[in-house]
Amino acid sequence: MILIDGKKAAAELRQELKHEVTGLKAKYNKVPGLTVILIGDLTPSQIYVRNKEKSANEVGLKSEVIKYPDSVEEKTVLEKIKELNKDETVSGILVQLPLPKHIDKQKVIETILPSKDVDGFHPTNVGNLSSGYESSVPCTPLGCYLLIKKVEPNLNGKKAVIVGRSNLNGKPMTQLLLKENCTVTITHSKTKDLKAECLEADIIVAAVGIPELVKGDWVKKDTIVIDVGINKTDKGIVGDVDFDEVSKNAKALTPVPGGVGPMTIACLLKNTIECFKRTQI
Ligand code: NAP
């Protein structure tokens, strides 16, 4: 079985991006800039943002974190986003989710210029992705896609089963694999026989949030299994895939941690650079 090393893949991607940033700096005499807005003091969000800033610095991006307390008014955040939309030194804007209840997530997402939407959540980018046009692609599914392509560069005609239909993971994952000519089945909590669906798959992407949902006897030999889940349990952090069981059957499998997670941040940097390049003439 191939253990898909997301840490290594992310380090390689960061290295490529670092070279690219050096080239862009030489060509344009400026570097792409990423601005992250962090609201409140949730520990996981703080850790994510710190890691994003560290990785952005590592590849040579200009990086900035704007922090607000939980009590910040929605209009203050929206005004700041509008200001950043006009700032030419800012290529990408990311507002770390989740947001406090009094702030409307959709309003925040839609205030970010689509051309600076490094998370790929703006409806314009969602529409462009599903129409097959150029767009920012949400970072986690993009990371999954790059990991799958490392194992299997030609996905023509493969049967992919996506477990979970969130806007963040399942839906964009579907679009990326459709573009690669996979036959895609998207499953969710109302799917009648998830095991039977998974047993048909050459590729399974599990993004559910239920510890070890995907069992060993749900996976046929030669399947590539990507585990997006991050679940805190008594035995530590586990994914949505039963790693011990599935590793006996699968052709390739991502571990949790050390699989999809590191690629998510590397893809954020990639998206920032893509946003920068699209605005240069
Ligand atoms: P989400 O928005 O809660 O969506 C979960 C999806 O799973 C929903 O579509 C839901 O179906 C489906 N589902 C729930 N129970 C199911 C079942 N028994 N069988 C089949 N499908 C079921 O979750 P998310 O934001 O996509 O996150 C999923 C997981 O990925 C979480 O563990 C999260 O922490 C993790 N995650 C990891 C990264 C990373 O970088 N590695 C990034 C983001 C998220 P319905 O639509 O019918 O409710």
Side-chain angles (χ1 to χ4, degrees):
M1 203 244 351
I2 302 166
L3 182 67
I4 305 174
D5 187 343
K7 262 191 179 168
K8 185 165 167 253
E12 286 167 2
L13 179 55
R14 285 197 303 273
Q15 203 52 37
E16 280 171 32
L17 297 174
K18 192 173 174 178
H19 282 300
E20 195 172 0
V21 172
T22 307
L24 292 170
K25 191 174 177 186
K27 188 168 178 188
Y28 297 109
N29 199 26
K30 55 187 175 182
V31 294
L34 172 66
T35 298
V36 177
I37 296 181
L38 173 63
I39 302 170
D41 52 10
L42 275 180
T43 311
S45 294
Q46 284 182 335
I47 295 171
Y48 290 143
V49 169
R50 213 177 304 135
N51 289 338
K52 285 168 184 173
E53 196 179 19
K54 192 172 147 237
S55 301
N57 289 331
E58 185 190 324
V59 305
L61 301 184
K62 177 180 153 296
S63 138
E64 176 192 27
V65 179
I66 297 171
K67 294 183 183 170
Y68 290 112
D70 249 324
S71 57
V72 65
E73 281 187 57
E74 182 183 272
K75 75 169 192 286
T76 307
V77 178
L78 298 181
E79 284 311 314
K80 177 50 82 180
I81 294 172
K82 286 176 191 162
E83 196 184 296
L84 296 170
N85 282 342
K86 290 187 203 138
D87 185 338
E88 284 183 5
T89 67
V90 176
S91 320
I93 304 167
L94 179 148
V95 180
Q96 183 65 43
L97 303 177
L99 298 173
K101 282 200 180 67
H102 66 279
I103 299 183
D104 182 338
K105 181 175 94 177
Q106 201 53 26
K107 222 188 242 177
V108 166
I109 289 172
E110 289 182 23
T111 303
I112 298 172
L113 263 186
S115 58
K116 296 193 177 192
D117 166 36
V118 277
D119 258 337
F121 295 159
H122 192 287
T124 298
N125 282 319
V126 175
N128 281 342
L129 178 64
S130 65
S131 305
Y133 302 142
E134 194 173 60
S135 68
S136 281
V137 178
C139 305
T140 302
L142 181 57
C144 295
Y145 166 79
L146 295 175
L147 291 177
I148 295 168
K149 290 279 281 183
K150 266 190 183 284
V151 180
E152 183 59 71
N154 181 2
L155 301 178
N156 244 332
K158 300 279 181 205
K159 170 118 173 96
V161 171
I162 314 297
V163 190
R165 58 175 162 185
S166 70
N167 291 339
L168 180 67
N169 290 307
K171 284 180 190 154
M173 193 70 238
T174 301
Q175 300 300 343
L176 288 170
L177 292 176
L178 268 180
K179 247 184 169 175
E180 289 287 322
N181 300 321
C182 288
T183 302
V184 187
T185 301
I186 183 155
T187 65
H188 44 78
S189 66
K190 308 292 184 293
T191 295
K192 276 198 181 136
D193 190 345
L194 189 56
K195 176 180 172 180
E197 298 294 347
C198 287
L199 274 169
E200 295 283 313
D202 303 309
I203 299 161
I204 297 174
V205 180
V208 189
I210 300 181
E212 300 175 330
L213 174 74
V214 177
K215 304 296 179 206
D217 62 354
W218 293 23
V219 177
K220 66 179 168 72
K221 292 259 178 239
D222 288 340
T223 302
I224 299 170
V225 183
I226 305 292
D227 190 351
V228 180
I230 302 176
N231 306 294
K232 260 192 193 167
T233 69
D234 294 344
K235 59 176 186 182
I237 302 282
V238 301
D240 292 342
V241 174
D242 186 328
F243 184 89
D244 292 342
E245 274 190 25
V246 171
S247 59
K248 289 178 194 150
N249 267 354
K251 172 181 175 180
L253 173 62
T254 55
V256 176
V260 173
M263 281 300 277
T264 297
I265 296 188
C267 286
L268 169 68
L269 311 178
K270 182 174 167 57
N271 280 351
T272 306
I273 294 168
E274 293 303 322
C275 285
F276 173 86
K277 287 195 299 192
R278 284 198 284 267
T279 56
Q280 305 308 309
I281 312 152

